[in-house]
Amino acid sequence: MWPSWSSRPFHLVFAVLLFLSQFGSATRLLESESLNPCQAVSGFTATLFNVVFTPDNGTFAFDVVGVSTISGNVTAVIDVTAYGINIYHDSVDPCDVTGSVDLSGLCPLNTGQININSNIIVSQDIVKNIPSVAFTVPDLDGLVQIHINSTSGKSEACLEAQLSNGKTVYQKGVEWTIAVIAGLALVVSAVVSGLGHSNTAAHVAANALSLFGLFQAQAMIGMTAVVMPPIVQSWTQNFQWSMGIIRVGFLQDICTWYQRSTGGTPSVILTTLATTSVEVQKRSVETVHRLFLRAYDQLTKRSNNSSSSSAAATTQLVIVKGIKRVGFRAFIESTNIFLTGLIIFMVFAVAVAVSVLVFKGFCEMAVKAGWLKSDKFQDFRNGWKIILKGILFRIVLIGFPQLSVLCLWELTQRDSSAEVVLAIFFFVAITLSLAWAALKVIRIAKRSVAMHKNPAYILYSDPKALNKWGFLYVQFRATAYYFILPFLAYILLKAAFIAFGQGSGPTQAVALVIIEAVALIAVSILRPWMDKRTNWFNIAIVAVNFLNAIFLLFFSNVFNQPAVVTAIMGVVFAFYNMIFCFVLLVLVLFSMGWAILSKNPDTRYQPMRDDRGSFIKSQSQLNGELDALGATARGGMREHYKMRDLDDDDSFTSGSGGGRSQYDAAGVPLPPSTSGSTMAQSQRDGPRSPIDHSTPFMGGRQPENSRGMYNGCSDRSQSGNSVPLMSSRSRDASPTPDYSYQPHGYGQQSAAPWQRGAGYDH
């Protein structure tokens, strides 16, 4: 009765999946834990169904508890399908069965409760007819369907059971591995940045954030209401940790307590599995009842206290799909999903903040004890408060997809009034915070373009602005500083469709295809990331996201394709995503290893075309230069001064009053002659750049034969100034800087590659 499995569709599917056979238990078995009705009116329902078949010893064990409303002789028609293809068909009359199988209790079938708990020995002749791939390929897409017909041929009941072989691509080891790699990449980028390798740190951080975004995109696919093949569900479940879907035992108790305390009614699906038959949806079919998961329903009919109502409740069908499905597979009650994700995010943010404080204390202690040189992590030790703010902003950016989906979804669930308030508060807070930060960056960049014809000038000149807001723009080229806004809109739009579209899988699939297509076209044309290598890295991720959306559209069955097509596409989906994620993980690991082991990791990366490296000033170098400058100006007296924040709006205005005009852009007191001329100049010429052009970038020395930084300045005017490295500004001098002087390390040539397209083509 079993057909040959060497046909082309199966040959393609199982050739691709042979390497996956290592996942799961080594014991060969076929099992099912659900028996569900597959027609609108079914005369038999099962409250408990556990069946296990082990071919090695030929044992078939089953435990069934059900209720029958059928009376009389019946015939059972059995159909077994695998990956959409019918592989077994037979008709069984319980009154005609002979041998070791005793079905006399079903001949005739009587109304009332039926309890069956037995073991059957299956002959090896039958075992040999079962294909071996059924026991080796993970996440078997198998289904047994039983139609119970009366002697007149009328269908009295329809039952189906999903088959599993105990093997799956959803592995805790995979979850932890990818989570640790993504987290280590962010840590390595921070450490490398503290050691002064800003270019390497920017590349490692950009790749880590992009990799994290890929994981969240994979998790979002699994959160859609589309009924996907089992292997797709299992694969996307590996990434649900990136959306905060992480089970912690005591945390579930806290969530349940909080919900009850605030007027909510917790779900108890997971606590009734011993008396409930549960099925996770696996494949799209024609009839609507196959979208249901059989479970004890405490979410509806809660007011029924009579025995008849209670009995009916035990066979209630509950829809569990999309976000509820991933929560169920993570053993999290559906009413605890939102609060679990929120608490996980908050704990992560607090843990990172505490880690930064601990590292700050360790560095200070190590320097005092002589374990570290005094110049190690000096930028971090001096400006750790600003750096901590930037880190927390980056955490908010990482958690934006997670909180957007869960907060918006909670508005549709309303688990309790307090949880709804939390959802609104956190969603509004993080959205407004990121929007305000993005607009702040755009204002700074536009000011830099207006004054210097280069957005990178101010964006990268001030360490405070770079450490605080740099998480929004360092991964992009300087002229694409605005791209963070469409990036945030892209995430928000996807989150809205996933959260609000849980009732319609096809709607979500169509929306994601459109969104991903627009995103792919935009990034392919604009190429907004910092260099060619990073652009290709991110464009490949967006392309895979678009391809995943197309596959999701097929899984939604809008094309009404054969079931075997859906099954094969599910296998292909899992296969190419595994390969792609593996390649990206290897690339990130390689960049991390290079950053840690290389003495000068910046040599691996070419200088940015926006010349950001020339504008980035080390805070410690800048302080040292200004200390010496201030000491000279004050005749050797040391005086405390405070650095001005270049991203402050007030710093972009001319100093028209108070003591502000008596300080240069870095906050160093100016000598009387210089400060007076500066005030007069600023009053006539309007806003001036907050950057002190007389200070060479990156601590480099200014060549003796170089021209003055401002038009009209001459060597004669410089020699007349009593302050080294500072030139008196002529009253007739133009505020427009002269870019004929190149920063240290760059040749004296016109129309350098980084100047083209940045406003220097004169």
Side-chain angles (χ1 to χ4, degrees):
M1 296 181 184
W2 299 87
S4 173
W5 284 59
S6 60
S7 57
R8 290 184 179 272
F10 282 103
H11 182 75
L12 172 63
V13 173
F14 298 115
V16 169
L17 283 180
L18 273 178
F19 79 102
L20 297 175
S21 59
Q22 60 182 337
F23 294 105
S25 172
T27 303
R28 298 198 307 161
L29 59 85
L30 291 177
E31 63 180 353
S32 178
E33 297 179 351
S34 64
L35 184 65
N36 304 302
C38 49
Q39 70 181 29
V41 179
S42 181
F44 184 89
T45 57
T47 57
L48 179 63
F49 184 82
N50 290 318
V51 175
V52 178
F53 171 64
T54 52
D56 294 334
N57 57 14
T59 302
F60 181 74
F62 53 91
D63 184 7
V64 180
V65 177
V67 178
S68 171
T69 60
I70 305 173
S71 177
N73 293 330
V74 295
T75 301
V77 179
I78 302 174
D79 289 287
V80 180
T81 60
Y83 296 98
I85 295 180
N86 189 287
I87 59 175
Y88 180 79
H89 175 81
D90 195 9
S91 179
V92 178
D93 186 349
C95 298
D96 294 338
V97 173
T98 59
S100 61
V101 181
D102 183 12
L103 298 179
S104 58
L106 302 179
C107 177
L109 189 61
N110 299 315
T111 59
Q113 182 170 317
I114 297 177
N115 298 323
I116 305 175
N117 189 345
S118 178
N119 293 324
I120 298 176
I121 302 300
V122 181
S123 66
Q124 290 299 317
D125 294 336
I126 298 178
V127 173
K128 292 179 181 178
N129 290 329
I130 302 176
S132 60
V133 291
F135 305 103
T136 56
V137 177
D139 296 291
L140 176 66
D141 189 1
L143 181 71
V144 176
Q145 194 171 83
I146 303 173
H147 290 271
I148 300 178
N149 302 326
S150 64
T151 54
S152 61
K154 178 183 177 182
S155 178
E156 298 289 346
C158 178
L159 306 170
E160 65 180 15
Q162 300 286 348
L163 296 178
S164 172
N165 55 14
K167 296 179 173 60
T168 177
V169 295
Y170 172 42
Q171 299 290 328
K172 289 294 183 181
V174 175
E175 276 189 302
W176 280 101
T177 300
I178 58 181
V180 168
I181 292 176
L184 281 179
L186 294 175
V187 173
V188 169
S189 67
V191 173
V192 172
S193 177
L195 294 175
H197 306 295
S198 58
N199 198 4
T200 301
H203 281 83
V204 176
N207 292 341
L209 289 176
S210 299
L211 187 66
F212 208 95
L214 172 65
F215 295 160
Q216 290 176 323
Q218 300 267 322
M220 286 183 179
I221 292 292
M223 284 183 162
T224 59
V226 176
V227 186
M228 296 173 288
I231 194 170
V232 177
Q233 292 185 30
S234 296
W235 171 251
T236 56
Q237 193 72 24
N238 287 314
F239 303 97
Q240 296 303 330
W241 61 267
S242 65
M243 301 296 286
I245 310 299
I246 302 174
R247 174 177 169 77
V248 181
F250 72 90
L251 187 58
Q252 299 307 302
D253 297 334
I254 294 175
C255 294
T256 301
W257 166 82
Y258 182 82
Q259 188 178 17
R260 285 175 176 165
S261 301
T262 55
T265 305
S267 169
V268 291
I269 293 177
L270 294 174
T271 60
T272 58
L273 292 179
T275 58
T276 307
S277 181
V278 179
E279 176 191 0
V280 176
Q281 55 178 349
K282 293 194 175 183
R283 130 164 32 94
S284 178
V285 291
E286 292 79 3
T287 53
V288 68
H289 48 266
R290 296 190 187 180
L291 300 178
F292 294 107
L293 169 119
R294 290 192 50 81
Y296 184 77
D297 182 18
Q298 289 288 344
L299 300 178
T300 59
K301 308 289 186 182
R302 297 184 186 278
S303 61
N304 295 334
N305 297 321
S306 65
S307 59
S308 59
S309 298
S310 177
T314 59
T315 58
Q316 180 70 35
L317 296 179
V318 182
I319 299 177
V320 176
K321 56 184 178 181
I323 297 176
K324 290 185 179 181
R325 178 182 62 214
V326 300
F328 176 80
R329 296 197 64 170
F331 297 101
I332 299 176
E333 295 285 0
S334 60
T335 52
N336 290 345
I337 293 176
F338 162 71
L339 207 55
T340 298
L342 181 61
I343 294 176
I344 291 294
F345 171 79
M346 295 301 297
V347 169
F348 177 70
V350 172
V352 171
V354 171
S355 300
V356 172
L357 295 178
V358 171
F359 185 69
K360 168 66 166 61
F362 170 77
C363 289
E364 297 297 340
M365 182 181 64
V367 170
K368 290 181 180 180
W371 302 338
L372 285 178
K373 295 182 180 179
S374 59
D375 59 344
K376 289 294 184 181
F377 299 104
Q378 187 171 358
D379 290 347
F380 168 75
R381 288 156 46 209
N382 294 336
W384 67 272
K385 292 182 179 179
I386 297 296
I387 293 176
L388 179 58
K389 291 180 182 178
I391 291 174
L392 293 179
F393 266 117
R394 178 161 293 188
I395 292 175
V396 172
L397 179 63
I398 292 175
F400 185 55
Q402 166 191 342
L403 293 182
S404 296
V405 171
L406 295 181
C407 290
L408 293 178
W409 179 69
E410 175 60 24
L411 299 181
T412 67
Q413 299 301 301
R414 297 185 290 276
D415 296 320
S416 74
S417 56
E419 292 188 39
V420 172
V421 172
L422 287 176
I424 295 175
F425 172 78
F426 276 93
F427 176 73
V428 173
I430 63 173
T431 303
L432 292 182
S433 298
L434 292 175
W436 180 81
L439 294 175
K440 184 77 171 179
V441 169
I442 292 176
R443 289 200 304 271
I444 297 174
K446 286 185 176 180
R447 178 69 64 173
S448 181
V449 171
M451 291 182 173
H452 309 289
K453 303 185 186 304
N454 188 349
Y457 196 95
I458 298 180
L459 287 176
Y460 293 94
S461 293
D462 181 23
K464 291 186 178 180
L466 183 60
N467 289 328
K468 189 174 183 180
W469 310 116
F471 72 99
L472 292 173
Y473 60 82
V474 292
Q475 64 268 35
F476 305 118
R477 67 175 188 272
T479 54
Y481 58 86
Y482 59 86
F483 197 76
I484 188 61
L485 273 183
F487 176 74
L488 294 176
Y490 161 79
I491 293 177
L492 188 59
L493 199 58
K494 288 180 61 176
F497 275 100
I498 291 174
F500 296 137
Q502 289 293 305
S504 177
T507 301
Q508 291 177 318
V510 172
L512 288 180
V513 168
I514 296 174
I515 294 171
E516 299 294 354
V518 173
L520 180 59
I521 294 172
V523 299
S524 299
I525 295 175
L526 298 176
R527 297 184 181 181
W529 285 277
M530 64 176 74
D531 58 12
K532 185 176 181 180
R533 183 181 302 175
T534 310
N535 269 299
W536 282 115
F537 189 92
N538 286 273
I539 290 175
I541 291 177
V542 178
V544 169
N545 290 340
F546 173 64
L547 186 59
N548 289 343
I550 293 178
F551 272 69
L552 188 68
L553 187 63
F554 277 89
F555 297 153
S556 66
N557 205 33
V558 295
F559 302 111
N560 198 26
Q561 70 275 5
V564 65
V565 174
T566 303
I568 293 177
M569 292 186 69
V571 172
V572 175
F573 177 96
F575 179 74
Y576 75 76
N577 275 284
M578 287 179 192
I579 299 299
F580 184 71
C581 289
F582 176 77
V583 171
L584 293 191
L585 286 172
V586 170
L587 293 177
V588 170
L589 284 172
F590 177 79
S591 63
M592 289 167 52
W594 181 272
I596 295 174
L597 301 177
S598 178
K599 294 183 178 180
N600 186 12
D602 285 343
T603 57
R604 180 172 181 260
Y605 306 99
Q606 295 294 328
M608 302 300 172
R609 292 177 61 87
D610 53 24
D611 202 40
R612 65 180 65 180
S614 298
F615 300 139
I616 297 177
K617 295 182 180 180
S618 169
Q619 186 70 56
S620 57
Q621 292 176 347
L622 188 61
N623 288 345
E625 294 173 2
L626 294 179
D627 280 340
L629 183 61
T632 304
R634 292 186 295 271
M637 295 178 59
R638 302 285 295 180
E639 181 178 340
H640 175 73
Y641 62 88
K642 181 180 180 180
M643 289 288 296
R644 287 176 60 189
D645 192 352
L646 297 184
D647 72 331
D648 188 4
D649 291 336
D650 293 338
S651 66
F652 293 131
T653 60
S654 58
S656 58
R660 187 178 292 273
S661 61
Q662 302 299 321
Y663 295 83
D664 69 356
V668 178
L670 298 176
S673 60
T674 307
S675 62
S677 62
T678 304
M679 178 181 294
Q681 176 67 21
S682 64
Q683 290 174 348
R684 290 193 305 270
D685 297 336
R688 183 183 300 278
S689 169
I691 308 300
D692 183 7
H693 302 282
S694 62
T695 305
F697 294 117
M698 300 301 289
R701 295 182 177 273
Q702 183 175 355
E704 296 180 0
N705 60 350
S706 65
R707 297 172 55 186
M709 290 298 291
Y710 290 87
N711 294 335
C713 293
S714 62
D715 296 337
R716 185 168 40 195
S717 65
Q718 295 179 10
S719 61
N721 193 346
S722 60
V723 183
L725 297 180
M726 294 188 64
S727 59
S728 298
R729 295 182 175 93
S730 172
R731 293 181 179 271
D732 299 328
S734 170
T736 305
D738 181 7
Y739 289 97
S740 59
Y741 166 68
Q742 300 292 334
H744 181 68
Y746 288 81
Q748 301 288 337
Q749 58 182 0
S750 61
W754 64 270
Q755 292 175 321
R756 292 193 292 269
Y760 291 93
D761 300 326
H762 299 299

